[in-house]
Amino acid sequence: ADKVVLQLKWVAQGQFAGYFVAKEKGFYEEEGLDVEIKNGGPDIAPEQVIAGGGADVIVTWMAAGLAARDKGVKLVNIAQPYAKSGLELICPKDGPIQTEADFKGHTLGVWFFGNEYPFYAWMHKLGLPTEGGPDGVTVLKQSFDVQPLIQKQADCISVMTYNEYWQAIDAGFKPEDLVVFNYTELGNDLLEDGLYVIEDNLKDAAFEDKMVRFVRASMKGWKYAVDNPEEAAEAVMEAGGQDENHQQRMVGEVAKLIGDGKLDPVVYERTTKALLDQKIITKEPEGAYTTAITDKALQ
Amino acid sequence: MRASLPWQIALVLLAAAAGGVLQVAAAGDGGPGNIWPALGLIALAAAGAWSMAGKPAAQAILLFIGAHGAAWLLLNGVSGHEGRAGPSFYLALVGAWLLAWRCVSVLSMLKPASLGGRRLLGLIIPLIFGAWVLILWEAIVRGAGIPFLLLPPPSAIAERIGVSTAVLAADFRQTVLKAVLAGYIIGCASGFIAAIAADRFVFLRRGLLPIGNMAAALPIIGVAPIMVMWFGFDWPSKAAVVVIMTFFPMLVNTVVGLSASGHMERDLMRTYASGYWPTLVKLRLPAAMPFIFNALKINSTLALIGAIVAEFFGTPVVGMGFRISTEVGRMNIDMVWAEIAVAALAGTLFYGVVALVERAVTFWHPSIRGG
Amino acid sequence: MNAIASHQPAPAIPIAQGGIADVVAASKLSLVFDTNDGPVQALSNVDLTIGKGEFVSFIGPSGCGKTTLLRVIADLEKPTSGTIMVNGMTPEQARERRAYGYVFQAAALFPWRTIADNVALPLEIMGLSKTERAERIRRTLELVNLSGFEKKYPWQLSGGMQQRASIARALAFDADLLLMDEPFGALDEIVRDHLNQQLLELWARTNKTICFVTHSIPEAVYLSTRIVVMSPRPGRVTDVIDTNLPLERPLDIRESPEFLAIAARVRDGLKAGHSYED
Amino acid sequence: MNAIASHQPAPAIPIAQGGIADVVAASKLSLVFDTNDGPVQALSNVDLTIGKGEFVSFIGPSGCGKTTLLRVIADLEKPTSGTIMVNGMTPEQARERRAYGYVFQAAALFPWRTIADNVALPLEIMGLSKTERAERIRRTLELVNLSGFEKKYPWQLSGGMQQRASIARALAFDADLLLMDEPFGALDEIVRDHLNQQLLELWARTNKTICFVTHSIPEAVYLSTRIVVMSPRPGRVTDVIDTNLPLERPLDIRESPEFLAIAARVRDGLKAGHSYED
Amino acid sequence: MDSFRSKIIPVTTLLAVLVVAWYAFAVVLNGPFQRDLDRRAGETPGQIEFLMRTWSQPKPTLPAPHQVAQNFYKSTFTVKPWSNRSLIYHSWVTLSSTFVGFVFGAALGILIAVGIVHFASLDRSLMPWIITSQTIPILAIAPMVVVVFASIGITGLFPKALISTYLSFFPVAVGMVKGLRSPEVMHLDLMRTYNATRPQVFWKLRAPASLPFLFASMKVAVAASLVGAIVAELPTGAVAGIGAKLLNGAYYSQTIDIWAALVAGSLVAVMLVALVGLAGRITDRAMGGRPA
Ligand SMILES: Nc1ncnc2c1ncn2[C@@H]1O[C@H](COP(=O)(O)OP(=O)(O)OP(=O)(O)O)[C@@H](O)[C@H]1O
Ligand SMILES: Nc1ncnc2c1ncn2[C@@H]1O[C@H](COP(=O)(O)OP(=O)(O)OP(=O)(O)O)[C@@H](O)[C@H]1O
Ligand SMILES: Cc1ncc(C[n+]2csc(CCO)c2C)c(N)n1
Ligand SMILES: [Mg+2]
Ligand SMILES: [Mg+2]
């Protein structure tokens, strides 16, 4: 079987259920692939791993992928299982923020490590400076949890619909206690969790073929996961996930974000524009995605 | 006097010869330039230094010029040919490096009469060593074409430091001047006080030390988020992490140091019916100083690590740790290394200051009196 | 710190129950050290009284327990059995009242203090004023002929100079009881003679009580009102000799027949304690 | 490590350029210590030759440079100016050939070694076999009367016993040149007499050369073939006295008029170096 | 051991004080959010009820001792020791790389100290850079190390132990340089008179004289090694080990899990430090150490 190493962006959890299911259910094997899934962590940059030859294909956010491409690691998006973003900003209803207009002069929790671009793009759109002061917003680099909200260190915090949102709920917030700003609904979403490979590798027909089979099996896995969240959560637990109930709920939420695996050029354009506006990347990317793989894989 | 051939020089000549042969063999495949002049310079410097045995100063100067001239030629030659360096390039590099090594050995054997001369030498030797860490890094990264994302060359880092001084200065202020200093002082002081308390009261000694040991392992990653909860996300929480990290080394070393005074000296104090505190201040603390400075030195580096790592959790958007983790995400690896360079510089200076104070305070200890 | 050094409240013992003049009163004093290869009987059944104003020398072969006895008096060692009183109190109470000054067999100077500061140490602990300290330091360093070395560190002095510095330190302390463990061992005859005279003069002037360990028979005879001869394995007192020499003692008293007779008696006692048969 | 301790190749110097019999040959030897409050002239213009088989005593007031001179001979201190040869070599070469055994003024025992192991130290370094070591340890410890204390640690011994252990260590080394810095300072008369005789016997039997620092005039006269009298500030040699006593020396030679005459001369030399006017 | 018994009462007393303070602290820290919750729910609990609630939040800011104890008990004694949920398993994973890292770190530290004490050129050229190396934040380079090793196929214990080594060699090196230079001048002179070789001076004088410094440093080093192992567990994908437990706890805001893992980590630390201390005491006794 052909060996493929997949580097995830984060620890084993429902967010990556499709890949775990594909492996567990033997979908990769059916395609003649021997896939090794490497978990990520809070300071694993998948872009670094693939640049160092530690992986064949990685899961990452498009903003980070394009930033890496700008720095000389020629990453190419070959598939986009996540059609929508799961990112949102939540604020307690009894706090000072009810609408976008209330942001001024308040503290907002944001994830960094390459996850900050959608937020800055949004603020850019609202014309809010992010250096603090009465006319701008103060940015807090948020840790993994929802404590800043509980502790009132921030007026709003970033969460994923499928993960931290539920932690807030677990901590005692009720859905009706929260004001939610969903990036997708506001049209501010930048593409998350795509599959990326090194451009030069694609010139090799054998590698391209391998990727076609990989994407095909992965999307099959995603489809299965969306249809069978319980079994998918099982596979996640098998791979080292924590807290079965939480994973089940996560798979259920993730299911709402998964698409057919094809990249939407409109969102791609929005992503590149946002990055250019913020000078995260210096030039318009070219050839940063290809539909060739998905075209072949998902007829 | 015909001196024996130092092994570094022998290897240099060997490397230069082998490099020449390989360069002839590989001629014309478009690798890095300047190999021939570099090889020539290296061989010349090696032969020259060998013939000048007995005149160490002149030898050192020649070796210095040879090594760094060749390095400069090689680095110039490789630009534009990244990732295409062949064995002859590396052999020339090794040759130049061995020259520098020989240069440092010759310099270490010098014993300048004047104090100023010794000081200068004490500065030059580590600088040459450090320069070669950077030269080898630059040459290998560029010669082998290592992706920028994995390891940027020092030149790129230096360039980034030049461009981003304002940001680096702000981060330095936030992390070092606020979190590290406050945490270091409080941490060392509380470790010290805990040690004294444990020494003074048998009850505390039996109870506090095991519990103090527990604090030793409180992993920063576990503690940092908790400190953020307790002390907010600005620098006080980072200082708290530093306090926890520096507490234990100070506790352990002070406790050991307090038992380091001699028996006869302690008996002497007993004959004066000297109370606990006078004995502590006049005998046991001075005798413990070598140990206490041990802790102060170790802590000077631990404090920096602690503060930076603590910033990987909740922080305002400034600080060295914040910058490092954020810029990794943005693939600005040169910025990451620029911060690391600043951290290294600050830490080394910090350590150096502590070591100087140590020399002044424990001048009487054999480790300092003896050289 | 060992058990001895720990701070226990001293048991209440009636003060001056014997004659007020007894500075040291030991009876049936024994001390056994436990070592890795068995117990060592350092002192065995020592009975001894020293009155106020006496100058008592202890002499005996190396290892016979002289130092140990001095340490017991100084409360640096606890006897295994027997009783001992110092100034009518337990040694611990006496020590806590700073009843004595002690000169150790080795100099025991603090390396981080200059010579002057080393001499100042006990004075600082007693809380003397700076000017008072300076005066005493000057006087005692002059006494031991170390003027001019105030600012040197111990390792910059010769062995004999270190020994003299430690004597100066004990004299500066100015206690009524002086315990001196071979203070003049590292000194040459001339300095020794000089210091012997100084010490005698000090003793006569101040009515101090002095316990003095020495290896020199003439020194013992010259200085003392009484000589305690000790013997090893087990450490015990074998002879106590009253010298009865006049209080006024020029150096050439050492050639007088009375002097030589006492010296001979001490030498005999000493020889008896040795295992050499020459 | 200081400059002295660093390993430089010794400059090639012709061996035995003077008479082969000269074990120590110093000329115009000076040594100045730099201290925090100015330079100290520890040795000034010392000229001295010691022939093979001599027993030379050094005597002089405390701080006159006796220890320093011995340390220069032993290559533990580098002279500031002047030349010195040991066995016709530089002191460094001589040291590297293990030309001498050294007894320090203080015992300098390793606290983590038992007495037997302390004596074994130089033997281990010379690479002697275990049985050979055991034999020498037994013999030398017996010589200094420390049999039975093999397994004790230094802090379990009295001051005099520690001193004797360190003498045993030097004797076990068995070098042709012995440098002894007040080896018997902490010992009583009887042991001292005994060891004096033992040392003389050893010297006569083995034709060793001995440099011996002492504070005792009788000891110096009794032991030596030559006495070097030194004087301080600056440290210098003021007198060199040949004793010419017969090789066979019973202890009572010390009462003979020749003996006393020499002793008187030494005492006068010594007094001259002192600042006391008594 | 008799000293063990004499420690029990002081340790338990101090722990009791700590626990009481902890409960009080939990009220202070969890109180505000509890009030928010109650207010949103429109409830007004009594004093006692309020205290109880602050001590039983599912995701408290500071979990109460009994919450941690329950969690600790559950994940230590009620599950199979080798299962993924067992703290024993995770402690073992961390302990093994801590140990390997510490052994290598101590060895490396001693080696470096020996080199520095014996070669002036090393002292001058290497020491400043060793110091510099320690100022590089590990968490920044740990992933790179792990990535580099992973790309050449080395994973698991080794990269973690390497981080531990990196953190633990430094205290040992610094302490040993001091210790190896601590022999008395006269003892060094004595060895010189024997013309002892450098190895002889080292083995017979410097090494024994340095032991107090070595053991003090090793206590610090073993703790540092544990910290290193835990840190290194994060980028390895956080599958096993105390670091992984901490991370997962943090990632899902399971503060009780975090604290249980912290307790486990601390226990491991106490054990390691105590072991080093014991080794130190045994050596001291073997070397005729005088009872203090
Ligand atoms: N701390 C100790 N532990 C064990 N034994 C000891 C200790 N101190 C002294 N001794 C032993 O007690 C005996 C008496 O020792 P002490 O020091 O009193 O002798 P001393 O008369 O002062 O001899 P010196 O004249 O040589 O100083 C010796 O045999 C010695 O070995
Ligand atoms: N390391 C040193 N640094 C500075 N001065 C020193 C040092 N060692 C010795 N001296 C000085 O050199 C002089 C001679 O000292 P030395 O030890 O040789 O005297 P000594 O004759 O052996 O005296 P003693 O009989 O008291 O042992 C003294 O004045 C002393 O202060
Ligand atoms: C430091 C840090 N960065 C990001 C997230 C949040 N996060 C949520 S999902 C996800 C993976 C990307 O798909 C990430 C990284 C976090 N908790 N901590
Ligand atoms: Mg004694
Ligand atoms: Mg001397």
Side-chain angles (χ1 to χ4, degrees):
Chain A
D2 295 323
K3 176 108 185 134
V4 173
V5 179
L6 169 67
Q7 172 70 56
L8 301 181
K9 188 179 171 57
W10 199 249
V11 298
Q13 59 174 352
Q15 183 185 1
F16 311 108
Y19 311 106
F20 294 124
V21 168
K23 185 168 167 77
E24 185 73 19
K25 287 273 147 205
F27 299 161
Y28 288 133
E29 222 171 298
E30 284 167 20
E31 295 284 352
L33 295 174
D34 170 17
V35 175
E36 180 192 343
I37 302 178
K38 285 184 172 175
N39 290 334
D43 44 19
I44 283 270
E47 302 82 9
Q48 257 190 348
V49 176
I50 198 169
D56 298 310
V57 52
I58 61 173
V59 175
T60 192
W61 289 13
M62 174 159 278
L66 290 183
R69 187 179 176 87
D70 202 52
K71 294 289 179 310
V73 180
K74 297 289 176 205
L75 291 180
V76 180
N77 179 304
I78 56 168
Q80 185 61 41
Y82 274 65
K84 292 186 212 155
S85 155
L87 194 59
E88 48 190 26
L89 202 66
I90 59 170
C91 327
K93 206 165 237 153
D94 50 6
I97 289 170
Q98 309 298 333
T99 69
E100 286 178 344
D102 300 328
F103 284 153
K104 232 178 226 161
H106 290 285
T107 301
L108 308 178
V110 179
W111 288 319
F112 279 78
F113 206 69
N115 303 317
E116 68 273 32
Y117 308 118
F119 172 80
Y120 280 109
W122 181 21
M123 292 300 124
H124 189 75
K125 207 168 92 181
L126 294 178
L128 281 175
T130 50
E131 277 81 49
D135 291 327
V137 293
T138 302
V139 178
L140 155 65
K141 182 196 164 190
Q142 193 184 314
S143 47
F144 312 132
D145 46 41
V146 295
Q147 280 294 335
L149 200 64
I150 294 176
Q151 300 263 314
K152 303 208 172 122
Q153 288 171 347
D155 298 304
C156 304
I157 61 166
S158 300
V159 295
M160 284 297 187
T161 53
Y162 48 81
N163 189 358
E164 290 82 1
Y165 175 81
W166 295 103
Q167 293 181 30
I169 300 297
D170 287 347
F173 285 101
K174 298 202 185 60
E176 59 270 25
D177 294 336
L178 295 169
V179 181
V180 176
F181 300 94
N182 185 294
Y183 280 68
T184 309
E185 282 167 18
L186 292 169
N188 294 326
D189 56 325
L190 305 184
L191 289 168
E192 294 168 7
D193 287 25
L195 292 172
Y196 294 79
V197 299
I198 300 267
E199 185 171 345
D200 281 350
N201 290 348
L202 280 180
K203 290 182 189 144
D204 175 9
F207 182 82
E208 194 192 0
D209 175 54
K210 215 159 66 171
M211 284 305 114
V212 169
R213 285 180 281 146
F214 173 76
V215 169
R216 189 184 298 136
S218 298
M219 288 318 296
K220 194 169 162 193
W222 270 121
K223 192 157 180 350
Y224 192 91
V226 168
D227 294 340
N228 307 284
E230 254 124 82
E231 238 177 287
E234 195 86 348
V236 171
M237 291 305 288
E238 214 47 50
Q242 301 285 312
D243 190 350
E244 181 141 16
N245 292 335
H246 186 67
Q247 297 302 344
Q248 263 181 31
R249 197 165 55 186
M250 193 183 299
V251 176
E253 285 299 325
V254 161
K256 299 175 189 162
L257 308 175
I258 298 296
D260 60 3
K262 291 191 178 162
L263 183 76
D264 178 356
V266 178
V267 192
Y268 170 80
E269 291 304 333
R270 181 161 72 219
T271 306
T272 54
K273 181 170 178 310
L275 294 180
L276 274 171
D277 283 349
Q278 293 176 63
K279 308 204 170 53
I280 303 293
I281 56 177
T282 51
K283 52 195 176 296
E284 183 86 33
E286 270 171 48
Y289 72 95
T290 172
T291 51
I293 305 288
T294 39
D295 286 346
K296 284 186 197 151
L298 317 165
Q299 288 101 7
Chain B
M1 249 191 304
R2 181 86 267 171
S4 65
L5 182 60
W7 65 269
Q8 290 106 331
I9 298 289
L11 276 182
V12 169
L13 293 172
L14 215 69
V21 171
L22 286 168
Q23 180 65 5
V24 171
D29 72 348
N34 280 351
I35 302 251
W36 282 117
L39 285 174
L41 184 59
I42 290 167
L44 222 62
W50 185 22
S51 68
M52 280 198 295
K55 281 171 282 181
Q59 227 184 332
I61 292 173
L62 185 67
L63 287 167
F64 183 88
I65 295 174
H68 297 88
W72 187 79
L73 285 172
L74 286 172
L75 288 180
N76 261 336
V78 79
S79 72
H81 303 272
E82 273 85 359
R84 301 233 296 280
S88 59
F89 174 82
Y90 291 112
L91 276 170
L93 189 64
V94 168
W97 175 49
L98 285 167
L99 279 185
W101 188 337
R102 181 69 202 149
C103 178
V104 168
S105 310
V106 171
L107 284 176
S108 306
M109 281 188 281
L110 282 182
K111 296 249 171 355
S114 75
L115 188 68
R118 278 200 295 276
R119 289 251 167 85
L120 192 68
L121 211 58
L123 213 65
I124 287 179
I125 292 173
L127 281 183
I128 294 181
F129 186 90
W132 273 91
V133 172
L134 298 182
I135 291 171
L136 291 177
W137 176 354
E138 178 92 24
I140 292 171
V141 165
R142 300 224 268 149
I146 292 175
F148 185 91
L149 272 199
L150 281 187
L151 192 63
S155 55
I157 298 169
E159 201 176 306
R160 173 56 90 163
I161 293 177
V163 175
S164 313
T165 25
V167 177
L168 289 168
D171 292 344
F172 178 81
R173 218 173 300 125
Q174 168 79 10
T175 304
V176 177
L177 298 186
K178 291 179 183 165
V180 170
L181 277 188
Y184 180 81
I185 292 170
I186 299 174
C188 290
S190 54
F192 180 78
I193 290 168
I196 301 283
D199 182 74
R200 182 74 187 89
F201 305 105
V202 188
F203 188 80
L204 278 186
R205 169 157 66 249
R206 303 225 171 102
L208 198 67
L209 288 186
I211 292 172
N213 293 353
M214 285 174 99
L218 286 184
I220 352 172
I221 330 93
V223 172
I226 296 170
M227 293 301 124
V228 172
M229 287 179 207
W230 292 2
F231 296 101
F233 59 86
D234 209 343
W235 66 267
S237 59
K238 316 306 173 273
V241 172
V242 175
V243 168
I244 293 175
M245 282 201 78
T246 52
F247 173 82
F248 181 71
M250 188 48 120
L251 176 73
V252 166
N253 276 283
T254 307
V255 166
V256 174
L258 285 178
S259 62
S261 53
H263 283 262
M264 204 184 310
E265 285 76 9
R266 271 186 263 174
D267 282 347
L268 181 74
M269 296 307 276
R270 269 170 66 76
T271 70
Y272 300 146
S274 164
Y276 176 83
W277 293 108
T279 308
L280 187 74
V281 171
K282 294 188 190 298
L283 170 63
R284 300 176 66 221
L285 278 183
M289 278 303 158
F291 286 86
I292 292 175
F293 272 98
N294 231 359
L296 286 176
K297 286 200 280 189
I298 291 170
N299 279 349
S300 68
T301 62
L302 273 187
L304 208 65
I305 299 183
I308 289 177
V309 170
E311 283 180 352
F312 280 39
F313 301 87
T315 69
V317 287
V318 62
M320 301 171 84
F322 164 80
R323 199 72 57 202
I324 288 174
S325 64
T326 305
E327 300 296 344
V328 170
R330 292 183 179 173
M331 300 299 121
N332 288 326
I333 308 298
D334 52 349
M335 188 63 185
V336 173
W337 282 95
E339 292 282 356
I340 290 179
V342 172
L345 199 66
T348 310
L349 279 180
F350 195 0
Y351 186 99
V353 168
V354 176
L356 277 183
V357 177
E358 176 187 32
R359 282 193 87 80
V361 172
T362 63
F363 64 94
W364 51 270
H365 192 258
S367 69
I368 301 215
R369 250 197 291 146
Chain C
M1 267 177 279
N2 54 12
I4 302 164
S6 73
H7 246 269
Q8 304 160 323
I13 280 192
I15 290 188
Q17 130 211 81
I20 183 91
D22 280 356
V23 175
V24 177
S27 103
K28 297 211 171 308
L29 202 64
S30 293
L31 194 150
V32 179
F33 287 110
D34 275 324
T35 72
N36 42 337
D37 60 344
V40 173
Q41 178 100 27
L43 291 177
S44 158
N45 261 315
V46 172
D47 289 302
L48 185 71
T49 20
I50 299 175
K52 173 123 192 74
E54 273 200 89
F55 194 127
V56 179
S57 287
F58 296 83
I59 196 162
S62 161
C64 69
K66 304 181 293 296
T67 299
T68 307
L69 181 53
L70 238 57
R71 287 173 62 84
V72 171
I73 297 174
D75 185 41
L76 296 176
E77 216 79 68
K78 284 259 183 281
T80 320
S81 69
T83 60
I84 176 153
M85 306 281 252
V86 176
N87 284 338
M89 301 172 259
T90 62
E92 177 163 12
Q93 290 169 320
R95 180 176 63 75
E96 278 164 6
R97 283 172 209 194
R98 299 188 173 132
Y100 61 84
Y102 199 117
V103 181
F104 286 90
Q105 201 165 353
L109 301 170
F110 291 4
W112 52 85
R113 284 178 171 246
T114 59
I115 297 308
D117 287 344
N118 263 293
V119 177
L121 176 70
L123 311 180
E124 289 171 15
I125 288 172
M126 292 193 310
L128 262 58
S129 76
K130 216 180 152 97
T131 48
E132 171 81 349
R133 284 202 312 252
E135 171 53 23
R136 286 214 202 172
I137 292 166
R138 199 194 51 70
R139 211 174 51 221
T140 50
L141 280 183
E142 198 178 295
L143 194 75
V144 298
N145 204 24
L146 274 181
S147 310
F149 290 86
E150 290 85 358
K151 295 226 178 91
K152 294 262 187 298
Y153 286 96
W155 70 85
Q156 296 173 326
L157 296 194
S158 75
M161 291 156 98
Q162 291 179 19
Q163 185 69 37
R164 282 182 278 152
S166 101
I167 295 167
R169 184 177 56 188
L171 293 181
F173 190 57
D174 200 24
D176 279 340
L177 171 60
L178 264 176
L179 307 173
M180 308 180 84
D181 196 352
E182 289 184 53
F184 306 145
L187 304 179
D188 65 289
E189 222 163 89
I190 312 288
V191 188
R192 203 160 175 149
D193 285 350
H194 171 76
L195 287 178
N196 276 350
Q197 282 183 299
Q198 298 279 342
L199 188 62
L200 265 187
E201 200 177 283
L202 184 88
W203 169 66
R205 197 176 63 230
T206 56
N207 198 27
K208 284 185 198 303
T209 312
I210 299 184
C211 295
F212 190 91
V213 173
T214 178
H215 280 133
S216 159
I217 299 174
E219 187 172 73
V221 180
Y222 178 69
L223 289 172
S224 323
T225 56
R226 213 140 47 108
I227 299 172
V228 176
V229 183
M230 296 179 70
S231 192
R233 287 174 235 182
R236 65 200 183 280
V237 174
T238 50
D239 200 359
V240 179
I241 304 166
D242 282 300
T243 60
N244 294 327
L245 289 176
L247 264 187
E248 194 63 47
R249 300 180 196 182
L251 278 172
D252 50 21
I253 200 176
R254 294 184 293 194
E255 265 99 69
S256 71
E258 302 94 303
F259 188 99
L260 292 174
I262 302 171
R265 183 170 159 201
V266 174
R267 186 165 296 113
D268 287 343
L270 211 52
K271 252 186 200 139
H274 274 281
S275 44
Y276 313 120
E277 47 277 65
D278 51 339
Chain D
M1 271 177 280
N2 54 12
I4 302 164
S6 74
H7 245 271
Q8 304 162 324
I13 280 194
I15 290 187
Q17 136 213 77
I20 183 92
D22 280 355
V23 174
V24 177
S27 104
K28 298 209 170 310
L29 203 63
S30 294
L31 194 151
V32 179
F33 286 110
D34 276 324
T35 72
N36 43 335
D37 60 344
V40 174
Q41 179 100 27
L43 291 177
S44 160
N45 262 315
V46 172
D47 289 302
L48 185 70
T49 18
I50 299 174
K52 173 124 193 73
E54 274 199 86
F55 195 125
V56 180
S57 286
F58 296 83
I59 196 161
S62 160
C64 68
K66 305 181 294 295
T67 299
T68 306
L69 182 54
L70 239 58
R71 286 174 61 84
V72 170
I73 298 173
D75 185 41
L76 296 177
E77 215 78 68
K78 284 259 182 282
T80 319
S81 67
T83 60
I84 176 153
M85 307 282 252
V86 177
N87 283 338
M89 303 172 259
T90 62
E92 177 161 12
Q93 292 170 322
R95 180 178 61 75
E96 279 165 4
R97 282 168 211 194
R98 296 183 175 136
Y100 61 84
Y102 198 117
V103 181
F104 286 89
Q105 199 166 355
L109 301 170
F110 289 6
W112 54 85
R113 284 179 172 246
T114 60
I115 297 309
D117 287 345
N118 263 294
V119 177
L121 176 70
L123 311 179
E124 288 170 14
I125 287 171
M126 293 193 309
L128 262 60
S129 76
K130 215 178 154 96
T131 49
E132 172 79 351
R133 284 202 311 251
E135 171 52 25
R136 286 215 203 172
I137 292 167
R138 198 194 51 69
R139 211 173 51 219
T140 51
L141 281 182
E142 199 179 294
L143 194 74
V144 298
N145 205 23
L146 274 181
S147 310
F149 290 87
E150 289 84 359
K151 294 224 180 94
K152 295 262 187 298
Y153 286 96
W155 54 271
Q156 295 173 323
L157 296 194
S158 75
M161 291 156 98
Q162 292 178 18
Q163 186 68 38
R164 283 182 276 151
S166 104
I167 296 167
R169 183 176 59 185
L171 293 180
F173 190 58
D174 200 24
D176 278 342
L177 172 60
L178 264 176
L179 306 173
M180 307 180 85
D181 196 352
E182 289 182 54
F184 306 145
L187 305 179
D188 65 289
E189 222 164 88
I190 313 288
V191 187
R192 204 162 173 147
D193 286 350
H194 171 76
L195 285 179
N196 277 348
Q197 283 183 298
Q198 297 277 342
L199 187 62
L200 264 187
E201 200 178 282
L202 184 89
W203 170 66
R205 197 176 63 232
T206 56
N207 199 28
K208 283 186 199 301
T209 312
I210 299 184
C211 296
F212 190 91
V213 174
T214 178
H215 280 132
S216 159
I217 299 174
E219 186 172 74
V221 181
Y222 177 69
L223 289 172
S224 322
T225 57
R226 214 139 47 105
I227 300 171
V228 176
V229 183
M230 296 179 71
S231 192
R233 290 175 232 179
R236 64 199 184 277
V237 173
T238 49
D239 199 1
V240 179
I241 303 164
D242 283 300
T243 59
N244 293 329
L245 290 175
L247 265 187
E248 195 61 49
R249 300 180 195 182
L251 278 173
D252 51 21
I253 200 176
R254 294 184 292 194
E255 266 98 69
S256 72
E258 302 95 302
F259 189 98
L260 293 175
I262 300 172
R265 182 169 160 201
V266 174
R267 187 164 295 115
D268 287 343
L270 211 50
K271 251 182 202 145
H274 274 283
S275 46
Y276 312 120
E277 46 275 62
D278 51 341
Chain E
M1 263 166 56
D2 52 356
S3 75
F4 180 72
R5 292 186 64 157
S6 66
K7 271 181 192 160
I8 283 217
I9 295 177
V11 171
T12 39
T13 317
L14 270 169
L15 277 179
V17 172
L18 221 66
V19 165
V20 172
W22 187 346
Y23 270 109
F25 226 37
V27 176
V28 174
L29 285 166
N30 300 335
F33 184 59
Q34 191 59 48
R35 255 173 238 122
D36 281 353
L37 285 179
D38 293 342
R39 186 168 36 79
R40 285 188 201 111
E43 296 170 19
T44 42
Q47 291 285 347
I48 304 292
E49 174 62 19
F50 177 73
L51 285 189
M52 286 317 188
R53 286 188 188 185
T54 59
W55 291 335
S56 54
Q57 291 179 3
K59 299 203 165 167
T61 302
L62 175 60
H66 69 267
Q67 291 180 294
V68 177
Q70 269 168 7
N71 184 299
F72 186 82
Y73 176 83
K74 205 180 71 212
S75 46
T76 313
F77 299 107
T78 61
V79 292
K80 290 198 201 84
W82 57 89
S83 96
N84 197 14
R85 289 154 198 252
S86 166
L87 273 177
I88 295 181
Y89 165 75
H90 290 288
S91 298
W92 168 249
V93 169
T94 302
L95 186 66
S96 55
S97 62
T98 301
F99 183 77
V100 173
F102 168 68
V103 169
F104 280 111
L108 182 66
I110 292 172
L111 218 68
I112 287 174
V114 170
I116 282 176
V117 169
H118 286 91
F119 301 102
S121 61
L122 278 188
D123 185 16
R124 289 182 179 172
S125 55
L126 196 59
M127 197 57 188
W129 292 95
I130 287 178
I131 298 156
T132 304
S133 79
Q134 289 300 303
T135 59
I136 294 175
I138 17 156
L139 215 56
I141 58 154
M144 301 190 202
V145 171
V146 173
V147 165
V148 167
F149 276 102
S151 69
I152 52 174
I154 299 174
T155 51
L157 184 112
F158 185 78
K160 285 202 282 175
L162 201 74
I163 307 282
S164 288
T165 303
Y166 173 84
L167 270 187
S168 59
F169 87 88
F170 183 69
V172 174
V174 170
M176 277 302 274
V177 166
K178 191 96 207 162
L180 291 175
R181 283 182 178 156
S182 69
E184 295 290 331
V185 177
M186 205 191 305
H187 287 161
L188 283 168
D189 282 346
L190 183 73
M191 296 305 267
R192 255 171 85 73
T193 70
Y194 300 144
N195 189 32
T197 60
R198 278 161 173 244
Q200 285 171 329
V201 175
F202 177 80
W203 287 113
K204 296 188 190 299
L205 177 56
R206 290 189 188 276
S210 70
L211 287 180
F213 286 85
L214 176 65
F215 281 100
S217 303
M218 285 210 303
K219 278 189 192 176
V220 174
V222 79
S225 182
L226 181 60
V227 171
I230 292 176
V231 166
E233 273 160 6
L234 306 186
T236 48
V239 263
I242 293 175
K245 277 303 269 191
L246 283 173
L247 183 70
N248 278 315
Y251 189 44
Y252 300 113
S253 292
Q254 287 163 334
T255 31
I256 305 179
D257 274 8
I258 299 181
W259 279 83
L262 277 180
V263 168
S266 295
L267 287 179
V268 170
V270 170
M271 205 186 71
L272 287 172
V273 174
L275 273 179
V276 174
L278 187 71
R281 273 200 302 283
I282 290 173
T283 336
D284 185 56
R285 198 156 305 168
M287 299 205 330
R290 184 174 182 175

